[in-house]
Amino acid sequence: MTEIDLAVIGLGYVGMPLAKEAVAAGLRVVGVDVDSRKVDALNAGQSYIDDLTDADLEHMLNNGFSATLDESVLARSNTIVICVPTPLDEDHRPDLSAVEGATKAVARNLSDGTLVVLESTTWPGTTDEVARPLLESNGMVAGVDFHLAFSPERIDPGNPKFGLRNTPKVVGGYTPTCRDRATAFYKLFVEQVVPVSGTREAEMAKLLENTYRHVNIALVNEMAIFCDELGINLWESIEAAATKPFGFQKFLPGPGVGGHCIPVDPSYLSYTVRKLGYPFRFVELAQEINERMPSYVVARVQRLLNRHKKPVNGSRVVMLGVTYKPDIADDRETPALPVARALLELGAELSFVDPYVKEWSVDGTPVPREDDLAEAVVNADVTLLMQQHSAFDLVMVEANAKLVLDTRGVLAEGERVERL
């Protein structure tokens, strides 16, 4: 009889919230990772996840949770959930090396009757075409000797309203029995489970969600560029359109897209479509527009300085917020990075203010951190608001900054303040 109810492989922004809710539901949970620093930190009660406090982790540890580098615990686990990263390589192609590594570890330790679930975002067909053959390499058969399913993660770091428990969970199984087994598992700690007919449908659901956002963000980003040329306040137009009670959802422009989903997931779908012999034009156009935004931000900084007879070279530029979302420490794929890189190449004297980030570098070059927001704003030639952390005193910024470029549309425009 197994002694572990759940083994979570990959102890990051997806795996740890899953482990937290499973422990809260009374399950015996172990976390598995290849990073010894993460394992040591968790076992010492030190959380590195925005949505998991040290107090949360202490509660988990007191209720039997532990982290380990030892994959042999998988052999004693009733359910194994894979939550490892799925980034893009340098050519914007899916990099499934972590998924393949985790799946091989499962295969080496797979027991009869185990439920294996992949949660890592990937292209439709991965569970069946990549994970299943690896799991069956030891002679066991999916749907007969073990259960196999895909359930896309829907973690939104820093979201105060929706977490794992109250966000509906999509589940697709390799067989109907696999689906039912996975559905029953997630119902132990998720309020609503949404079964679909297969793993491909579940994989596609995740890509559809994020491609929808990606395309609509690209739409307003492109509109921001030409509305500036036309002298139109797009932010006001968006708020006006949002008063329509049907047929419209508000999306806002920004300095680019960041995080673990929107910059990455649509490329997985584009990759899948290209295997059919033609491009996914909507996605590739959206990618082009959103990737252009950091350059556009830098051009607007240049223009702002030029109007006041200053070059970028030698100007003091302070960036407010370098994470990809407000009020979290997560800076994965943050658009602040390409913006900072371009400003440094132009010779700007760059610094940053961010209450959630203690150290930050661009291509190995440390960027000085300002501890005093007011002093940083007063001393800068340009204040570049990249992220609207609630800790920022925006009234003070408006009153004291020499020049401001607001990429988030939260400041009142005026003689010294421009919106993107």
Side-chain angles (χ1 to χ4, degrees):
M1 183 174 179
T2 59
E3 57 187 77
I4 300 169
D5 295 314
L6 169 64
V8 178
I9 304 179
L11 305 179
Y13 282 83
V14 175
M16 287 310 298
L18 173 65
K20 172 187 170 183
E21 293 297 342
V23 170
L27 275 64
R28 295 161 295 182
V29 182
V30 65
V32 181
D33 206 289
V34 296
D35 188 338
S36 60
R37 294 171 299 177
K38 289 183 177 180
V39 169
D40 291 344
L42 291 172
N43 287 332
Q46 300 167 356
S47 175
Y48 45 83
I49 305 297
D50 285 298
D51 293 336
L52 186 75
T53 66
D54 287 350
D56 292 331
L57 183 53
E58 181 181 6
H59 179 268
M60 292 173 64
L61 293 168
N62 290 338
N63 284 273
F65 173 79
S66 64
T68 183
L69 299 168
D70 182 8
E71 67 177 51
S72 68
V73 298
L74 302 175
R76 308 194 306 273
S77 302
N78 190 45
T79 298
I80 302 169
V81 180
I82 299 172
C83 305
V84 296
T86 48
L88 301 175
D89 64 18
E90 293 180 357
D91 298 319
H92 276 253
R93 294 175 304 187
D95 179 0
L96 296 184
S97 57
V99 168
E100 292 170 348
T103 305
K104 290 175 182 177
V106 174
R108 289 190 292 267
N109 298 277
L110 190 58
S111 300
D112 191 62
T114 302
L115 167 64
V116 181
V117 184
L118 177 62
E119 285 205 6
S120 304
T121 304
T122 185
W123 47 268
T126 299
T127 306
D128 184 28
E129 298 171 19
V130 177
R132 183 175 62 83
L134 291 174
L135 293 169
E136 292 182 336
S137 62
N138 60 4
M140 300 180 75
V141 178
V144 177
D145 302 306
F146 68 94
H147 303 282
L148 177 63
F150 182 83
S151 180
E153 60 88 5
R154 282 175 162 175
I155 299 297
D156 185 19
N159 191 321
K161 183 177 180 181
F162 291 105
L164 182 73
R165 177 173 292 276
N166 64 347
T167 300
K169 200 83 170 75
V170 175
V171 174
Y174 176 63
T175 67
T177 302
C178 293
R179 177 199 61 210
D180 294 345
R181 169 73 182 275
T183 297
F185 164 71
Y186 282 111
K187 280 185 175 179
L188 295 173
F189 51 89
V190 178
E191 293 174 4
Q192 181 184 356
V193 179
V194 183
V196 295
S197 59
T199 56
R200 284 177 171 80
E201 286 72 20
E203 291 162 335
M204 180 59 80
K206 172 65 173 180
L207 297 183
L208 176 59
E209 293 169 17
N210 287 326
T211 299
Y212 168 78
R213 294 175 62 201
H214 186 55
V215 168
N216 280 280
I217 291 170
L219 171 65
V220 292
N221 276 339
E222 187 168 36
M223 293 183 77
I225 295 171
F226 69 70
C227 280
D228 175 59
E229 298 284 337
L230 294 172
I232 297 170
N233 187 333
L234 176 63
W235 302 92
E236 185 177 347
S237 297
I238 291 172
E239 294 303 325
T243 63
K244 186 179 180 182
F246 53 89
F248 182 82
Q249 182 176 356
K250 183 172 74 173
F251 288 86
L252 297 173
V257 293
H260 63 298
C261 288
I262 297 182
V264 176
D265 296 357
S267 292
Y268 274 70
L269 189 51
S270 178
Y271 168 81
T272 303
V273 175
R274 279 200 170 273
K275 290 196 298 182
L276 301 176
Y278 49 86
F280 189 178
R281 290 178 292 174
F282 260 116
V283 163
E284 293 177 15
L285 178 59
Q287 194 87 22
E288 177 185 332
I289 293 169
N290 287 332
E291 288 181 352
R292 172 189 174 188
M293 292 308 292
S295 296
Y296 177 66
V297 169
V298 173
R300 288 289 299 273
V301 170
Q302 287 179 293
R303 191 177 79 186
L304 191 57
L305 284 167
N306 284 342
R307 285 177 180 168
H308 292 78
K309 298 180 172 56
K310 291 184 178 182
V312 175
N313 191 2
S315 290
R316 294 183 297 274
V317 181
V318 61
M319 300 177 70
L320 305 189
V322 296
T323 60
Y324 89 91
K325 281 187 66 178
D327 299 331
I328 64 170
D330 192 349
D331 64 355
R332 288 174 294 172
E333 305 294 332
T334 174
L337 183 60
V339 170
R341 181 181 294 121
L343 288 171
L344 288 172
E345 289 174 355
L346 290 170
E349 295 182 9
L350 191 65
S351 61
F352 80 98
V353 179
D354 196 307
Y356 298 94
V357 179
K358 303 306 179 187
E359 295 179 351
W360 193 57
S361 62
V362 176
D363 303 328
T365 301
V367 178
R369 182 179 188 270
E370 305 277 3
D371 294 319
D372 190 312
L373 174 63
E375 183 178 337
V377 166
V378 168
N379 291 334
D381 295 303
V382 175
T383 297
L384 180 54
L385 180 61
M386 293 292 293
Q387 196 55 264
Q388 70 273 37
H389 293 312
S390 58
F392 290 153
D393 184 347
L394 299 181
V395 174
M396 183 278 297
V397 173
E398 287 179 355
N400 294 283
K402 296 173 185 174
L403 296 172
V404 183
L405 179 62
D406 172 15
T407 71
R408 297 296 178 176
V410 294
L411 301 178
E413 285 196 290
E415 184 179 342
R416 294 175 293 105
V417 179
E418 287 190 7
R419 285 180 174 181
L420 192 63

